[in-house]
Amino acid sequence: MSNRQKPTSRPSFRSQAVHNTLALPCVAESAWQLDDESCLPWLQSHWLANQPMKIVGAGSNLILPPILTGPTILMALKGITVIEETTHDILVNVAAGESWHDWVQQSLKAGWFGLENLALIPGTVGASPVQNIGAYGVEVGQLIEHVNVWDFSCGQTKALTTDDCQFAYRDSLFKKPEGQALLILSVSFRLRKKAAWQPTLDYPDLKPLSQAALLDGFVVSPQAVFDQVVAVRRLKLPDPASIPNAGSFFKNPLVSAEHCDRLRQRYPGLVAYPQTDGRAKLAAGWMIEQCGWKGRQLGDVGVHERQALVLVNLGNAQARDLLALAEVIGADVLERFGVALEIEPICWA
Ligand code: EPU
């Protein structure tokens, strides 16, 4: 990627309402739409070097305050470029402002596979490495080769490797204090061609496919995995267009094997996934449901009736209403299971 930008280019400025899938009322004091990388030196020299940045993609994993102070970047960079191709795989660079689900669909159509388990996740490509989006047994970090960023601490572009990005469950460098000067410009994905593709079907919701393959000799295609993931998500998760939400509101907590064993003795139905490091990841949705919160409301906010991990805005909620509900849920789970829940979306409220 080149650093030879035109220094005179500047992004467009507006003070405006910030769209977010939780439908929280939010106005950014100064929002700058970034649709051209040539604007970066201007942003660098005018304000961003010394100020904390707020970057908004599709607003699908954000808890926003009524007024967003300081400068906000509205990510609108577009473009999909093939970098290199072999008979087995392909390296494709995708601009941060592209829609995640549209990109997943386009990759499948082009015959580039690996992203099918991550279908229908709301948001932008640039947001995908931030929380290392993951679903149905795949995390995006497994498919990324580089994340290309503008580093405001030195005013240059950099190509970060997956090691640099420190990917972990719902976590990355971009969520940590040392990643706050980095603006994600594009993501390079290494995807497989058909001959080298293997389905990932371990997740319980994908068992119908693995069983059909085993018992009936059904040949599982990337499109079949995509279709199954889309069907499961539509069944379990509310569409933000009709019921405002930000997907999972809490992370699934990691506990020691001993803690998990103690809980299982008391709660034989406990849902827990063993991790390679010996710990166990507990299904927070299951614990929240056990505490009686599934489908309950508190003023203008509530817990979704089909997936207790998802909090929803039922009317005119503000961030503080959601955070108050999250707090009482967290206190109940702590009291009953001895586990502290952590909020999953990025909270600027
Ligand atoms: N469960 C309940 N009650 C509930 C919700 C879940 O008992 O209300 C149980 C389920 O029956 C299942 C287990 O908990 O046995 C896990 O549920 P599910 O498969 O729905 O997944 P999850 O652990 O609740 C995670 C991700 C989702 C992702 C799914 C599928 C996190 C924080 N969430 O949810 O991601 O779609 O797995 O891989 O890791 C998101 O991040 O926004 C998101 C939706």
Side-chain angles (χ1 to χ4, degrees):
M1 203 163 284
S2 154
N3 278 343
R4 285 178 288 131
Q5 283 92 2
K6 292 169 274 167
T8 48
S9 300
R10 47 177 295 176
S12 52
F13 164 82
R14 35 202 167 122
S15 166
Q16 67 165 57
V18 180
H19 167 80
N20 61 100
T21 61
L22 271 165
L24 300 172
C26 172
V27 174
E29 279 183 343
S30 62
W32 302 81
Q33 178 151 316
L34 182 67
D35 48 22
D36 187 340
E37 284 188 28
S38 67
C39 300
L40 290 164
W42 186 91
L43 287 173
Q44 174 81 26
S45 59
H46 278 74
W47 43 258
L48 279 177
N50 301 313
Q51 294 193 57
M53 268 188 300
K54 298 192 182 76
I55 305 156
V56 177
S60 60
N61 207 42
L62 294 176
I63 305 170
L64 296 172
I67 296 185
L68 206 49
T69 54
T72 300
I73 291 181
L74 304 174
M75 174 49 68
L77 294 172
K78 301 279 182 192
I80 298 177
T81 316
V82 173
I83 310 275
E84 62 180 45
E85 190 167 2
T86 71
T87 48
H88 286 95
D89 62 18
I90 189 147
L91 184 65
V92 192
N93 187 253
V94 186
E98 293 283 348
S99 142
W100 175 260
H101 182 65
D102 289 354
W103 155 234
V104 173
Q105 281 182 303
Q106 284 179 60
S107 66
L108 249 73
K109 211 168 156 199
W112 310 330
F113 306 128
L115 299 172
E116 51 287 335
N117 294 51
L118 302 176
L120 215 60
I121 295 180
T124 53
V125 168
S128 67
V130 176
Q131 62 148 345
N132 187 19
I133 57 170
Y136 307 101
V138 174
E139 286 185 348
V140 76
Q142 296 166 237
L143 297 145
I144 288 175
E145 189 138 311
H146 289 111
V147 176
N148 304 297
V149 299
W150 178 265
D151 185 346
F152 278 100
S153 65
C154 59
Q156 281 185 354
T157 52
K158 285 182 181 166
L160 304 182
T161 64
T162 45
D163 279 351
D164 296 334
C165 292
Q166 301 171 35
F167 289 126
Y169 168 64
R170 293 295 193 274
D171 201 15
S172 73
L173 167 71
F174 309 105
K175 282 181 120 178
K176 298 178 182 163
E178 61 272 28
Q180 296 313 298
L182 303 174
L183 169 66
I184 296 172
L185 302 174
S186 65
V187 183
S188 301
F189 297 91
R190 180 146 324 253
L191 302 177
R192 304 241 180 243
K193 304 260 185 88
K194 190 70 188 282
W197 176 79
Q198 289 289 332
T200 303
L201 301 175
D202 308 325
Y203 202 82
D205 282 329
L206 302 183
K207 276 285 173 305
L209 283 182
S210 52
Q211 275 173 355
L214 202 68
L215 303 176
D216 308 333
F218 174 70
V219 180
V220 179
S221 65
Q223 188 64 42
V225 178
F226 173 93
D227 291 344
Q228 175 73 5
V229 167
V230 167
V232 171
R233 288 189 76 95
R234 290 221 164 104
L235 198 69
K236 286 190 170 182
L237 296 166
D239 177 358
S242 43
I243 308 177
N245 74 88
S248 302
F249 205 85
F250 302 99
K251 292 185 191 179
N252 284 332
L254 290 162
V255 297
S256 68
E258 298 73 39
H259 191 149
C260 183
D261 289 345
R262 277 198 307 277
L263 285 177
R264 184 161 285 124
Q265 279 167 20
R266 248 181 106 185
Y267 305 100
L270 182 81
V271 183
Y273 308 98
Q275 303 295 293
T276 46
D277 64 3
R279 292 186 294 172
K281 195 194 277 178
L282 304 182
W286 183 86
M287 292 191 287
I288 295 168
E289 182 173 349
Q290 297 304 304
C291 291
W293 278 105
K294 197 170 186 171
R296 269 177 70 185
Q297 299 182 11
L298 195 68
D300 268 340
V301 289
V303 180
H304 187 56
E305 58 198 12
R306 277 172 299 173
Q307 167 52 290
L309 206 49
V310 178
L311 302 194
V312 295
N313 179 355
L314 297 164
N316 300 309
Q318 298 208 358
R320 63 166 181 259
D321 305 313
L322 275 165
L323 295 172
L325 175 60
E327 201 173 315
V328 284
I329 291 172
D332 279 1
V333 169
L334 183 63
E335 191 184 329
R336 189 151 175 183
F337 297 97
V339 177
L341 292 184
E342 203 184 318
I343 286 180
E344 200 249 25
I346 291 170
C347 182
W348 291 331

